[in-house]
Coordinates of all heavy atoms in Angstrom, one line a residue:
I67 N -41.7 10.3 -51.6 CA -40.5 10.7 -51.0 C -40.1 12.1 -51.4 O -40.2 12.4 -52.6 CB -39.4 9.7 -51.3 CG1 -39.7 8.3 -50.7 CG2 -38.0 10.1 -50.7 CD1 -38.8 7.2 -51.0
Q68 N -39.5 12.9 -50.5 CA -39.1 14.2 -50.9 C -38.0 14.2 -51.9 O -37.2 13.3 -52.0 CB -38.6 15.0 -49.6 CG -37.4 14.4 -49.0 CD -37.1 14.9 -47.6 OE1 -37.8 15.8 -47.1 NE2 -36.1 14.5 -47.0
S69 N -38.0 15.3 -52.7 CA -36.9 15.5 -53.8 C -37.0 14.3 -54.8 O -35.9 13.9 -55.3 CB -35.5 15.6 -53.2 OG -35.5 16.7 -52.3
E70 N -38.2 13.8 -55.0 CA -38.3 12.6 -55.9 C -38.1 13.0 -57.3 O -38.3 14.1 -57.8 CB -39.7 12.0 -55.7 CG -40.0 10.7 -56.4 CD -39.1 9.6 -55.9 OE1 -37.9 9.5 -56.4 OE2 -39.5 8.7 -55.1
T71 N -37.6 12.0 -58.1 CA -37.5 12.1 -59.6 C -38.3 11.0 -60.2 O -38.6 10.0 -59.6 CB -36.0 12.0 -60.0 OG1 -35.5 10.8 -59.5 CG2 -35.2 13.2 -59.5
F72 N -38.6 11.2 -61.5 CA -39.5 10.2 -62.2 C -38.9 9.8 -63.5 O -39.7 9.6 -64.5 CB -40.9 10.9 -62.3 CG -41.6 11.1 -61.0 CD1 -41.4 12.4 -60.4 CD2 -42.3 10.2 -60.4 CE1 -42.0 12.6 -59.2 CE2 -43.0 10.4 -59.2 CZ -42.8 11.7 -58.6
T73 N -37.6 9.6 -63.6 CA -37.0 9.2 -64.8 C -37.5 7.8 -65.3 O -37.8 7.6 -66.5 CB -35.4 9.2 -64.6 OG1 -35.0 10.5 -64.2 CG2 -34.8 8.8 -66.0
T74 N -37.5 6.9 -64.4 CA -38.0 5.5 -64.7 C -39.4 5.6 -65.2 O -39.8 4.9 -66.2 CB -37.9 4.6 -63.5 OG1 -36.5 4.6 -63.0 CG2 -38.3 3.2 -63.9
L75 N -40.3 6.3 -64.5 CA -41.7 6.4 -65.0 C -41.8 7.0 -66.4 O -42.6 6.5 -67.2 CB -42.4 7.3 -64.0 CG -44.0 7.3 -64.1 CD1 -44.5 5.9 -63.6 CD2 -44.6 8.4 -63.3
Q76 N -41.0 8.0 -66.7 CA -41.0 8.6 -68.0 C -40.6 7.6 -69.0 O -41.2 7.5 -70.1 CB -40.1 9.8 -68.0 CG -40.5 11.0 -67.2 CD -39.5 12.1 -67.0 OE1 -38.4 12.0 -67.6 NE2 -39.8 13.1 -66.2
R77 N -39.6 6.8 -68.7 CA -39.2 5.8 -69.7 C -40.2 4.7 -69.9 O -40.4 4.2 -71.0 CB -37.9 5.2 -69.2 CG -37.3 4.1 -70.1 CD -37.0 4.7 -71.5 NE -36.4 3.7 -72.4 CZ -36.5 3.8 -73.7 NH1 -37.2 4.8 -74.3 NH2 -36.0 2.8 -74.5
L78 N -40.9 4.3 -68.8 CA -42.0 3.4 -68.9 C -43.1 3.9 -69.8 O -43.6 3.1 -70.6 CB -42.6 3.1 -67.5 CG -41.7 2.2 -66.6 CD1 -42.2 2.2 -65.2 CD2 -41.7 0.7 -67.1
G79 N -43.4 5.2 -69.7 CA -44.4 5.8 -70.6 C -43.9 5.7 -72.0 O -44.8 5.4 -72.9
Q80 N -42.7 5.9 -72.3 CA -42.2 5.9 -73.7 C -42.2 4.4 -74.2 O -42.3 4.3 -75.4 CB -40.7 6.3 -73.7 CG -40.5 7.8 -73.4 CD -39.1 8.2 -73.1 OE1 -38.2 7.4 -73.1 NE2 -38.9 9.5 -72.9
L81 N -42.3 3.5 -73.3 CA -42.4 2.1 -73.7 C -43.8 1.6 -73.8 O -44.1 0.4 -74.0 CB -41.6 1.2 -72.8 CG -40.0 1.4 -72.8 CD1 -39.4 0.6 -71.7 CD2 -39.4 1.0 -74.2
G82 N -44.7 2.5 -73.6 CA -46.1 2.2 -73.8 C -46.8 1.7 -72.5 O -47.9 1.2 -72.6
E83 N -46.2 1.8 -71.4 CA -46.8 1.4 -70.1 C -47.6 2.5 -69.5 O -47.4 3.7 -69.7 CB -45.7 1.0 -69.1 CG -44.8 -0.2 -69.6 CD -45.6 -1.5 -69.7 OE1 -46.3 -1.9 -68.8 OE2 -45.5 -2.1 -70.8
E84 N -48.6 2.0 -68.7 CA -49.5 3.0 -68.0 C -48.6 3.7 -66.9 O -47.9 3.0 -66.2 CB -50.7 2.3 -67.4 CG -51.7 1.8 -68.4 CD -52.9 1.2 -67.7 OE1 -52.8 0.9 -66.5 OE2 -53.9 1.1 -68.4
T85 N -48.8 5.0 -66.7 CA -48.1 5.7 -65.7 C -49.0 6.5 -64.8 O -48.5 7.5 -64.2 CB -47.1 6.6 -66.4 OG1 -47.8 7.5 -67.3 CG2 -46.1 5.9 -67.2
W86 N -50.2 6.2 -64.7 CA -51.2 7.0 -63.9 C -50.8 6.9 -62.4 O -51.1 7.8 -61.6 CB -52.6 6.6 -64.1 CG -52.9 5.1 -63.9 CD1 -52.9 4.1 -64.8 CD2 -53.3 4.5 -62.7 NE1 -53.3 2.9 -64.3 CE2 -53.5 3.1 -62.9 CE3 -53.5 5.0 -61.4 CZ2 -53.9 2.2 -61.9 CZ3 -53.9 4.1 -60.4 CH2 -54.1 2.7 -60.7
F87 N -50.3 5.7 -62.0 CA -49.8 5.6 -60.6 C -48.4 6.0 -60.5 O -47.5 5.3 -61.0 CB -50.0 4.2 -60.1 CG -50.0 4.1 -58.6 CD1 -51.2 4.3 -57.8 CD2 -48.8 3.9 -57.9 CE1 -51.2 4.2 -56.4 CE2 -48.8 3.8 -56.5 CZ -50.0 4.0 -55.8
R88 N -48.1 7.2 -60.0 CA -46.8 7.8 -60.1 C -45.8 7.3 -59.1 O -45.7 7.8 -58.0 CB -46.9 9.3 -60.1 CG -47.7 9.9 -61.3 CD -47.7 11.4 -61.2 NE -46.4 12.0 -61.2 CZ -45.6 12.1 -62.3 NH1 -46.0 11.6 -63.4 NH2 -44.5 12.8 -62.2
L89 N -45.0 6.3 -59.5 CA -44.0 5.8 -58.7 C -42.7 6.5 -59.0 O -42.2 6.5 -60.1 CB -43.8 4.3 -58.9 CG -44.9 3.4 -58.5 CD1 -44.6 1.9 -58.8 CD2 -45.3 3.5 -57.0
G90 N -42.1 7.1 -58.0 CA -40.8 7.8 -58.2 C -39.6 6.9 -58.2 O -39.8 5.7 -57.8
D91 N -38.5 7.4 -58.6 CA -37.3 6.5 -58.6 C -36.9 6.0 -57.3 O -36.5 4.8 -57.1 CB -36.1 7.3 -59.3 CG -36.5 7.7 -60.7 OD1 -37.1 6.9 -61.4 OD2 -36.1 8.9 -61.1
Q92 N -36.9 6.9 -56.2 CA -36.6 6.4 -54.9 C -37.6 5.4 -54.3 O -37.3 4.4 -53.7 CB -36.5 7.6 -53.9 CG -35.4 8.6 -54.3 CD -35.3 9.8 -53.4 OE1 -34.8 9.6 -52.2 NE2 -35.9 10.9 -53.8
D93 N -38.9 5.8 -54.6 CA -40.0 4.9 -54.2 C -39.9 3.5 -54.8 O -40.2 2.5 -54.1 CB -41.3 5.6 -54.6 CG -42.5 5.1 -53.7 OD1 -42.3 4.5 -52.7 OD2 -43.6 5.4 -54.1
L94 N -39.4 3.4 -56.0 CA -39.3 2.1 -56.7 C -38.3 1.2 -55.9 O -38.5 0.0 -55.9 CB -38.8 2.3 -58.1 CG -39.9 2.6 -59.2 CD1 -39.2 3.1 -60.5 CD2 -40.7 1.4 -59.4
A95 N -37.3 1.8 -55.3 CA -36.4 1.0 -54.5 C -37.1 0.2 -53.4 O -36.8 -1.0 -53.2 CB -35.3 1.9 -54.0
T96 N -38.0 0.9 -52.7 CA -38.8 0.3 -51.7 C -39.6 -0.9 -52.3 O -39.6 -2.0 -51.7 CB -39.8 1.3 -51.1 OG1 -39.1 2.4 -50.5 CG2 -40.7 0.6 -50.1
H97 N -40.2 -0.7 -53.4 CA -41.1 -1.8 -54.0 C -40.2 -2.9 -54.5 O -40.7 -4.1 -54.5 CB -42.0 -1.2 -55.0 CG -42.7 0.0 -54.5 ND1 -43.3 0.1 -53.3 CD2 -42.9 1.2 -55.1 CE1 -43.9 1.3 -53.1 NE2 -43.6 2.0 -54.2
L98 N -39.1 -2.6 -55.1 CA -38.2 -3.7 -55.6 C -37.8 -4.6 -54.4 O -37.8 -5.8 -54.6 CB -37.0 -3.1 -56.3 CG -37.3 -2.5 -57.7 CD1 -36.1 -1.6 -58.1 CD2 -37.5 -3.6 -58.7
V99 N -37.3 -4.0 -53.3 CA -36.9 -4.8 -52.2 C -38.0 -5.6 -51.6 O -37.9 -6.7 -51.3 CB -36.2 -3.9 -51.1 CG1 -35.9 -4.7 -49.9 CG2 -34.9 -3.2 -51.7
R100 N -39.2 -4.9 -51.4 CA -40.3 -5.6 -50.9 C -40.7 -6.8 -51.7 O -41.0 -7.9 -51.2 CB -41.5 -4.6 -50.7 CG -42.8 -5.3 -50.2 CD -44.0 -4.4 -50.3 NE -44.0 -3.3 -49.4 CZ -44.1 -2.0 -49.7 NH1 -44.2 -1.7 -51.0 NH2 -44.0 -1.1 -48.8
N101 N -40.8 -6.6 -53.0 CA -41.2 -7.6 -53.9 C -40.2 -8.8 -53.8 O -40.7 -10.0 -53.7 CB -41.2 -7.2 -55.3 CG -42.4 -7.6 -56.1 OD1 -43.5 -7.3 -55.7 ND2 -42.2 -8.3 -57.2
R102 N -39.0 -8.6 -53.7 CA -38.0 -9.7 -53.6 C -38.2 -10.4 -52.3 O -38.2 -11.7 -52.3 CB -36.6 -9.1 -53.7 CG -35.5 -10.2 -53.5 CD -34.1 -9.6 -53.7 NE -33.8 -8.5 -52.8 CZ -33.4 -8.6 -51.5 NH1 -33.3 -9.9 -51.0 NH2 -33.1 -7.6 -50.8
L103 N -38.3 -9.7 -51.2 CA -38.5 -10.4 -49.9 C -39.8 -11.1 -49.8 O -39.8 -12.2 -49.2 CB -38.4 -9.3 -48.8 CG -37.0 -8.6 -48.7 CD1 -37.1 -7.5 -47.6 CD2 -35.9 -9.6 -48.4
L104 N -40.8 -10.6 -50.4 CA -42.1 -11.3 -50.4 C -42.0 -12.6 -51.2 O -42.5 -13.6 -50.8 CB -43.2 -10.4 -50.9 CG -43.7 -9.3 -50.0 CD1 -44.7 -8.4 -50.8 CD2 -44.3 -9.8 -48.7
N105 N -41.3 -12.5 -52.3 CA -41.1 -13.7 -53.2 C -40.2 -14.7 -52.5 O -40.3 -15.9 -52.8 CB -40.5 -13.3 -54.5 CG -41.5 -12.5 -55.4 OD1 -42.7 -12.7 -55.2 ND2 -41.0 -11.7 -56.3

Side-chain angles (χ1 to χ4, degrees):
I67 298 177
Q68 62 190 1
S69 304
E70 187 62 279
T71 56
F72 296 91
T73 304
T74 303
L75 191 72
Q76 292 169 3
R77 182 59 181 154
L78 285 166
Q80 293 169 355
L81 294 172
E83 297 296 307
E84 291 186 339
T85 58
W86 58 266
F87 198 88
R88 292 183 59 76
L89 294 181
D91 298 322
Q92 298 178 77
D93 203 14
L94 275 168
T96 298
H97 309 314
L98 286 166
V99 173
R100 179 190 288 122
N101 225 57
R102 176 175 60 80
L103 295 175
L104 289 174
N105 288 337

